[in-house]
């Protein structure tokens, strides 16, 4: 049976994995950094295309951290087919409905396997999908996603209550000031692996992409996966799994420069839900993936999630959502 590498080895090997990369060829290269004050930080084009002043209440990092504590401490481990996952899915759906979104849930069959050293049975997980009123996938739209599950042993504060909680805060802001480009929000089920191969990973997002209609594929302006976005780092990782995300990554890099947020780029990052979209030829990227000692362990607690880091991610994402 497949067994994971030791956490200490993973901390050195992973710049960009929510999970260990299932393909030997899929390794993250050295990131290139952009910091505030660099010559490329704010070009005239960046400044000319700035969105209008914010009308929504500012990004609330304290609310994000409160939700991280709820997921990690009150709900706990959220293996994809477990009661904990179902409680988390109900909470996310209720929060999004309370913000005025049209919320649906799709079943995701998941096979038996190995959840980072713990044997797990086959079962059912869920994608929670939230649309703003009047959403129409036959017109240009965007997707922001975050996986809701954790590995079996982990309370999953950083991986991935951090991404899910940022998604919920962006949902609150977008409900107050709807973006010009409508945005679908998805809490994916069963992102975490149940074995070594790519076929045993990303079950919720793979199913979602398989079911996308032709018009929905053609009108997708971009998909961003928020996955492990809370560990304090010199820069926010902006990553792709292959060439299909490169244009969107450049767009989000420009957004980060205009927002004066330090950021790093990485390639061949295939360890989150963006990869399901990229494999289908759709524009998608991932934000997040800084190594940390509690990765995929019972020690993945809220203290790993830093208010400054989630605020940086929020600044990038809110500016991108408000851009044409």
């Amino acid at each position: 049976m497949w067994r994971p590498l030791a956490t200490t080895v993973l901390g050195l090997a992973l710049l960009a994995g929510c999970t260990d990369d299932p393909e030997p060829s899929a390794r993250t290269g050295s990131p290139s950094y952009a910091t505030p004050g660099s010559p490329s930080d704010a070009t005239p084009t960046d400044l000319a295309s700035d969105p209008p002043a914010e009308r929504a209440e500012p990004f609330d990092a304290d609310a994000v951290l409160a939700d991280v504590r709820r997921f990690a401490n009150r709900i706990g481990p959220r293996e994809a087919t477990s009661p904990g996952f179902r409680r988390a899915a109900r909470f996310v759906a209720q929060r999004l409905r309370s913000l005025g979104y049209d919320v649906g849930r799709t079943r995701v069959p998941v096979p038996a396997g190995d959840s980072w050293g713990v044997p797990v049975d086959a079962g059912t997980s869920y994608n929670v999908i939230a649309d703003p009123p009047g959403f129409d996938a036959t017109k240009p739209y965007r997707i922001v996603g975050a996986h809701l599950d954790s590995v079996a042993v982990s309370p999953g504060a950083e991986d991935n209550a951090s991404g899910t909680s940022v998604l919920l805060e962006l949902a609150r802001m977008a409900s107050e000031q709807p973006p010009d480009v409508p945005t679908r929000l998805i809490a994916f089920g069963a992102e975490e692996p149940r074995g070594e191969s790519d076929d045993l990973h990303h079950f919720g997002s793979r199913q979602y992409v398989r079911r996308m209609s032709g018009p929905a594929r053609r009108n997708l302006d971009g998909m961003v996966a928020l996955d492990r976005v809370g560990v304090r780092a010199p820069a926010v990782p902006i990553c792709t799994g292959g060439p299909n995300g490169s244009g969107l990554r450049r767009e989000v890099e420009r957004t980060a420069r205009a927002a004066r947020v330090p950021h790093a780029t990485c390639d061949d990052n295939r360890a989150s839900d963006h990869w399901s979209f990229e494999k289908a030829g759709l524009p998608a990227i991932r934000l997040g993936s800084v190594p940390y000692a509690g990765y995929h362990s019972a020690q993945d607690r809220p203290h790993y999630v830093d208010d400054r880091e989630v605020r940086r991610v929020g600044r990038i994402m809110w500016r991108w959502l408000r851009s044409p």
Side-chain angles (χ1 to χ4, degrees), residues 80-260:
T81 64
S82 69
F85 178 88
R86 291 191 289 275
R87 287 195 297 273
R90 286 194 296 270
F91 166 69
V92 169
Q94 290 166 0
R95 171 73 66 81
L96 293 169
R97 287 193 188 99
S98 75
L99 293 170
Y101 290 87
D102 296 325
V103 181
R105 192 176 72 167
T106 60
R107 295 165 60 91
V108 179
V110 184
D114 184 305
S115 178
W116 216 249
V118 177
V120 286
D121 294 331
T124 300
S125 192
Y126 299 91
N127 291 335
V128 179
I129 303 171
D131 294 331
F135 180 84
D136 183 355
T138 67
K139 298 177 180 178
Y141 71 100
R142 292 169 175 165
I143 292 175
V144 176
H147 74 84
L148 187 55
D149 61 315
S150 70
V151 296
V153 299
S154 178
E158 167 67 348
D159 189 8
N160 184 41
S162 65
T164 304
S165 299
V166 169
L167 181 148
L168 291 175
E169 175 61 6
L170 293 170
R172 191 272 303 169
M173 297 174 75
S175 72
E176 295 176 9
Q177 183 182 343
D180 289 340
V181 180
T183 301
R184 170 172 280 176
L185 306 170
I186 307 177
F188 288 109
E191 185 272 349
E192 297 289 4
R194 296 171 97 80
E196 290 181 300
S197 76
D198 202 43
D199 288 339
L200 293 172
H201 204 177
H202 317 120
F203 296 97
S205 56
R206 284 167 50 206
Q207 182 198 83
Y208 178 86
V209 170
R210 281 197 306 269
R211 294 182 175 183
M212 290 177 73
S213 67
R217 291 170 184 258
R218 290 190 295 271
N219 283 286
L220 178 62
D221 182 67
M223 182 272 180
V224 176
L226 302 173
D227 192 348
R228 288 180 39 210
V229 296
V231 169
R232 177 169 282 217
V236 174
I238 305 174
C239 301
T240 58
N244 291 318
S246 58
L248 177 60
R249 188 177 71 182
R250 288 192 295 271
E251 179 182 318
V252 175
E253 284 183 78
R254 288 194 296 269
T255 301
R257 285 195 296 271
R260 298 190 177 275

Side-chain angles (χ1 to χ4, degrees), residues 39-55:
S40 62
D41 195 48
T43 65
T45 301
D46 291 330
L47 298 176
S49 61
D50 277 359
E54 293 184 7
R55 294 191 299 274

